[in-house]
Amino acid sequence: MKNNPKLLVYILMLSALGINTPLSIVGIISQISEYFNTSIAITGLYVSSFTFTIAACGLFMPIIFSKYERKRTFVFILTVFAIANAIIIFTKNIYVASISRIISAIFYPAFISIALTVCEEIAPEGEEQDYITKILLGISIGSIVGLPITTAIGTVLGYQMAMAWIFLINLVTLILIIIYFPNMEGKSKSYEVPVSSLKSEKFIMGSLGIIMMPIGATIVYSYLPYFLQIVTHVYTYNLSILLFVYGLISISGTWIGGKLIVKNDRVTLIGFQLLCSFVIAAIFFSAEYLIVCILFIFIFGIMDGLGYNLIQYMESSLLPDTPELANGVFLTIVNGGIAIGTAIGGFLVSGYGIMSIFPGGILFLILAFVLLYFVIFRMKIKLKFD
């Protein structure tokens, strides 16, 4: 390819950051509620509709769009995002805003899935995982770094300005794709879903094992701010700084994950569950010792970020012949796992107290370890870098 693959992958990374930034409005729920004059409960549904839609559409949207020329697909989806965000900026009706948000989320899995596939196609030999990691970094940065930026803009300038900056990112990436991205033909010749692969024992067992990872991690991650306030007594300004640092460390974990997979994929996949369980247990037992506890929380941040790479790699190994579908399943598992983990964590906190999130998270990670050990070493699944 005459085009510079490094330039292309950074454009796709920025695009992934842009379309993931709508997740960051979770930090301005009160401003959104005030702007639309709705209850916090309704506003919460408005905010979470994006994630739930991604989880629901991740299995089929990548397959539908895999047939089409790549540049046109990227331009179409980014245009949908730009229009949807423009409508959200100016409407005062939360139902219109919700429909716009859901419509953009429907196309999210197709964009990310095809971007991951394209990165692997354009990467120089031996650098495929590094290119994939850059897209995953874009996803992490969009939601993690986007959160404090969106929160700051929304708090100081209001909800409309927070959405305006999200629209601006989408517009810039759309222009970059139009100017710099080459025409690339789609790879799939039909809409046929490989049902036999999805029904195989290896796929079912492997996917069950891998979804336990985001469930276990989210049970802990979603309620860490609550834990820090109630147990370790970290509040307001200090809490914001701590969570921001946690987010930056989590991003480094995504980069580290890509390197570890290339070096030893089997050990990384299996060892992650045990090491993450140990770190969660360490947070539990060091709760009374603030500095030590925060240190283990930061290590947990690295593990949290590392998980993105492991889930994507496992699914691409389970479905090697349909990369778009594999990446769609990856998005469904990540977003579905987050939704399930948040719900389970809420049940644990309500019924058994905040400290119950730690044994709850460990339980799901141990289940992930058992299932993945069985799939990798007993069923002898062929991993991508074998």
Side-chain angles (χ1 to χ4, degrees), residues 170-329:
N170 291 147
L171 184 62
V172 169
T173 55
L174 172 60
I175 294 170
L176 289 174
I177 290 284
I178 292 173
I179 294 174
Y180 292 106
F181 219 84
N183 292 326
M184 296 179 67
E185 292 301 319
K187 299 299 181 182
S188 177
K189 300 303 180 186
S190 71
Y191 298 151
E192 184 178 352
V193 176
V195 177
S196 58
S197 297
L198 296 177
K199 291 170 64 177
S200 69
E201 187 178 0
K202 288 183 178 180
F203 174 79
I204 292 172
M205 295 292 290
S207 295
L208 278 175
I210 212 71
I211 198 174
M212 298 298 171
M213 289 170 53
I215 292 175
T218 302
I219 288 173
V220 177
Y221 168 74
S222 293
Y223 298 92
L224 268 181
Y226 190 49
F227 163 78
L228 288 166
Q229 292 177 72
I230 291 181
V231 179
T232 61
H233 307 297
V234 178
Y235 304 106
T236 57
Y237 182 70
N238 290 331
L239 178 61
S240 299
I241 293 176
L242 196 154
L243 293 175
F244 182 71
V245 174
Y246 175 95
L248 294 178
I249 291 174
S250 178
I251 292 170
S252 72
T254 303
W255 178 81
I256 292 170
K259 300 296 182 183
L260 291 176
I261 285 173
V262 174
K263 190 171 184 179
N264 196 322
D265 49 5
R266 292 174 180 268
V267 171
T268 303
L269 278 165
I270 297 300
F272 171 87
Q273 330 300 330
L274 298 179
L275 182 57
C276 195
S277 296
F278 171 80
V279 173
I280 291 174
I283 297 173
F284 177 87
F285 288 111
S286 64
E288 296 182 1
Y289 308 97
L290 180 60
I291 302 300
V292 177
C293 184
I294 290 175
L295 176 63
F296 281 117
I297 287 174
F298 287 160
I299 296 174
F300 176 69
I302 296 175
M303 305 300 296
D304 190 22
L306 198 153
Y308 280 103
N309 253 306
L310 298 186
I311 297 170
Q312 192 278 335
Y313 179 74
M314 186 66 181
E315 289 303 327
S316 64
S317 296
L318 290 168
L319 297 168
D321 299 325
T322 52
E324 290 88 357
L325 177 60
N327 291 322
V329 174

Side-chain angles (χ1 to χ4, degrees), residues 57-258:
C57 297
L59 290 177
F60 61 89
M61 289 303 288
I63 285 291
I64 291 175
F65 277 89
S66 65
K67 180 180 180 179
Y68 298 108
E69 196 273 322
R70 310 301 200 190
K71 181 175 181 177
R72 290 180 182 176
T73 298
F74 291 148
V75 169
F76 170 74
I77 294 174
L78 290 175
T79 301
V80 169
F81 265 81
I83 294 172
N85 285 324
I87 292 172
I88 290 171
I89 291 171
F90 295 107
T91 184
K92 292 285 290 185
N93 187 314
I94 194 169
Y95 299 107
V96 173
S98 296
I99 292 171
S100 299
R101 188 166 167 82
I102 289 170
I103 289 174
S104 61
I106 288 172
F107 297 99
Y108 175 101
F111 186 96
I112 295 297
S113 174
I114 295 173
L116 288 166
T117 303
V118 167
C119 279
E120 194 165 6
E121 292 172 354
I122 66 175
E125 187 176 353
E127 297 183 33
E128 293 87 353
Q129 194 61 42
D130 285 340
Y131 274 53
I132 288 172
T133 297
K134 286 181 172 63
I135 303 301
L136 299 178
L137 282 171
I139 295 172
S140 298
I141 294 169
S143 56
I144 295 171
V145 177
L147 177 60
I149 296 174
T150 303
T151 302
I153 295 174
T155 302
V156 176
L157 301 176
Y159 166 72
Q160 281 184 301
M161 290 304 296
M163 294 307 302
W165 104 272
I166 293 174
F167 166 79
L168 183 61
I169 295 176
N170 291 147
L171 184 62
V172 169
T173 55
L174 172 60
I175 294 170
L176 289 174
I177 290 284
I178 292 173
I179 294 174
Y180 292 106
F181 219 84
N183 292 326
M184 296 179 67
E185 292 301 319
K187 299 299 181 182
S188 177
K189 300 303 180 186
S190 71
Y191 298 151
E192 184 178 352
V193 176
V195 177
S196 58
S197 297
L198 296 177
K199 291 170 64 177
S200 69
E201 187 178 0
K202 288 183 178 180
F203 174 79
I204 292 172
M205 295 292 290
S207 295
L208 278 175
I210 212 71
I211 198 174
M212 298 298 171
M213 289 170 53
I215 292 175
T218 302
I219 288 173
V220 177
Y221 168 74
S222 293
Y223 298 92
L224 268 181
Y226 190 49
F227 163 78
L228 288 166
Q229 292 177 72
I230 291 181
V231 179
T232 61
H233 307 297
V234 178
Y235 304 106
T236 57
Y237 182 70
N238 290 331
L239 178 61
S240 299
I241 293 176
L242 196 154
L243 293 175
F244 182 71
V245 174
Y246 175 95
L248 294 178
I249 291 174
S250 178
I251 292 170
S252 72
T254 303
W255 178 81
I256 292 170

